[in-house]
Each structure stands twice: as structure tokens, then as C-alpha cells.
Amino acid sequence: MWGVAADGTTAVVVDQQSLLEEEDRLDALHRSYDGEARLNESFIVLTIGASLIATLGVLANNAAVVIGAMVVAPWILPLRVAVFAVLIGQARLLSRSLITLAAGAGITLFLSMGLGLIARSQGLLLVEALPEQVTARLEPNILDLGIALA
């Protein structure tokens, strides 16, 4: 709250009740985000589903399917928690969300590699005839780095 001091200057008046309410809201956020940072069954299932959709979309050279995999978006929650943890300076919460994200990246990497190897062994994926979606990613440039960071 703002107030006017006796000399006419503006002063900040501390309202303890609003500070307590703000602290309660921060604690509630912290508790909810703590659960969202955990590596749990739903995160793993959604990551596997999104990975399958995206990998098959890339193999089929179908951008709409790849975009559809983004709708599943299991990584949004731990990413949001990581940002929150950085803002409030909570290293334990940040490390938990980063571990969850690393597990998701590992699941996606191994699942996509496995599907690619299976497709190649079945003759569905010829290295000479890779879809444009795949060949465009074999030689990344600085623009690709900027897009990934954004």
C-alpha cells in the first residue's frame, strides 16, 4: 500500500495481512509445483506417447503429426517448475524438475532411436531416401540453435 508522509512525500506502508496472504499464496504455489516436478507414471506415459507420435510423424514426413505430438506436452509442467524454482531461488525444486526433464529426454531419445532402427531393419527407412523432415536436421545451423533456445 502507498501512503503520504507528513512532509508530503510518498511512503510505502507495510500491511502485514497482505504480506501473510502473499506468503500463503507462495507456499500453495510451492506445494503444487513440487508435485509437478516429480517423475511419475503420468509424465512417463505422456512422454512415451508424445515421443511415439513425433517419431512416427517424422518418419512419415508429416509435419501435422509432429505438431500433434506437441499437444500432448508432458514437459510443460517440469519446465514451468524449473522457471518458478529459479525465480524463488529453490535449488532442490530446480534439481527435481531438471531430473524429470532429463528422464523425459532420455526416454524420448531411446524410444526414437529404437523406432528408427526397427523401421530401418524392416526396410521402411532407407538412409538414401530419408524424409525431408529428417535430412533437414542432419546439418543444423545457427538459426536452428536460435529456434531451439527460444
Side-chain angles (χ1 to χ4, degrees):
M1 294 178 70
W2 294 91
V4 179
D7 63 356
T9 61
T10 305
V12 177
V13 178
V14 177
D15 180 5
Q16 281 193 323
Q17 184 61 34
S18 66
L19 286 176
L20 289 173
E21 289 172 5
E22 186 175 319
E23 188 175 319
D24 288 343
R25 283 190 298 249
L26 187 60
D27 286 342
L29 275 174
H30 192 281
R31 281 191 305 277
S32 72
Y33 282 175
D34 194 44
E36 292 176 359
R38 295 186 190 279
L39 180 61
N40 57 27
E41 183 179 317
S42 64
F43 177 83
I44 292 170
V45 169
L46 289 172
T47 297
I48 290 171
S51 300
L52 286 170
I53 294 167
T55 302
L56 295 172
V58 168
L59 291 173
N61 199 23
N62 189 331
V65 173
V66 174
I67 293 168
M70 293 179 213
V71 173
V72 178
W75 295 10
I76 292 297
L77 295 178
L79 279 171
R80 185 173 69 169
V81 172
V83 170
F84 177 73
V86 168
L87 289 174
I88 66 168
Q90 187 65 242
R92 184 182 62 81
L93 189 59
L94 178 62
S95 66
R96 182 178 296 137
S97 64
L98 292 177
I99 289 169
T100 300
L101 288 168
I107 290 168
T108 300
L109 178 68
F110 288 116
L111 185 60
S112 297
M113 285 176 49
L115 284 175
L117 291 172
I118 291 169
R120 186 173 177 192
S121 71
Q122 297 298 314
L124 300 173
L125 180 65
L126 303 173
V127 176
E128 303 80 32
L130 286 173
E132 182 184 335
Q133 294 285 335
V134 175
T135 57
R137 285 154 184 81
L138 294 177
E139 296 179 22
N141 57 32
I142 195 73
L143 182 62
D144 295 319
L145 177 63
I147 292 168
L149 292 176

